[in-house]
Amino acid sequence: METTENTKKVHIGQNIKRIREIKGIKQETFALELGEEWNQSKVSLLEARESIEADLLKQVAKILNVTPEMIEKYDEKSVNNFFSNTFNDSSTGNVGSNLYYCNFNPLDKVIELYERLLSSEAANRNTTK
């Protein structure tokens, strides 16, 4: 498939990877969020795929807290411009403060993920015996 100036080839896996990295989510953590059948290697393979099924795209989007359309239309240049403009804009007193508002306690999320990791490791130990 050739790329012309008017049409841009979309690589969904790379877009997922970039958004995941921007959000600071490691592949291992992302795998835990996707479910028991996922691991870091499987996430890596997902991010290497050019396209993915609609149901999986919806699940990934929900975990990344974005819409499927945002993943499909992700444009690194636009994102870089957004962050440049946001952090260089001095028209507000708290520059960029709206970017870090959490509607949950991050520590609760860390504890939840840690507990899931422990139960997953315990399940793995029980199946290998």
Side-chain angles (χ1 to χ4, degrees):
M1 186 168 153
E2 289 187 38
T3 303
T4 65
E5 287 183 35
N6 294 334
T7 61
K8 185 178 177 186
K9 190 175 183 181
V10 176
H11 193 293
I12 300 297
Q14 286 178 355
N15 291 353
I16 291 169
K17 179 180 180 179
R18 288 182 183 120
I19 294 169
R20 177 185 58 74
E21 289 174 341
I22 287 170
K23 293 190 171 263
I25 302 171
K26 295 190 176 286
Q27 285 183 332
E28 295 86 356
T29 306
F30 194 61
L32 283 173
E33 289 292 318
L34 283 167
E36 290 182 16
E37 69 278 358
W38 286 85
N39 57 37
Q40 182 273 324
S41 298
K42 197 168 176 182
V43 170
S44 183
L45 291 173
L46 171 72
E47 292 175 349
R49 292 172 51 190
E50 202 168 305
S51 63
I52 65 172
E53 303 78 26
D55 289 343
L56 181 55
L57 181 61
K58 286 179 187 175
Q59 182 182 3
V60 166
K62 184 176 180 181
I63 292 167
L64 294 174
N65 200 24
V66 297
T67 65
E69 294 77 23
M70 288 175 77
I71 294 173
E72 292 171 331
K73 296 178 180 177
Y74 175 83
D75 178 23
E76 196 157 353
K77 185 176 179 182
S78 297
V79 171
N80 288 339
N81 286 341
F82 170 78
F83 282 110
S84 294
N85 292 338
T86 300
F87 290 110
N88 292 327
D89 179 11
S90 59
S91 63
T92 62
N94 291 326
V95 177
S97 63
N98 61 337
L99 296 176
Y100 297 106
Y101 175 75
C102 291
N103 60 359
F104 62 89
N105 184 343
L107 186 56
D108 289 341
K109 192 69 170 172
V110 170
I111 292 169
E112 176 188 333
L113 290 173
Y114 183 70
E115 288 171 347
R116 287 179 62 189
L117 176 64
L118 289 177
S119 65
S120 174
E121 287 178 354
N124 285 341
R125 272 191 237 117
N126 291 336
T127 59
T128 57
K129 289 184 179 181

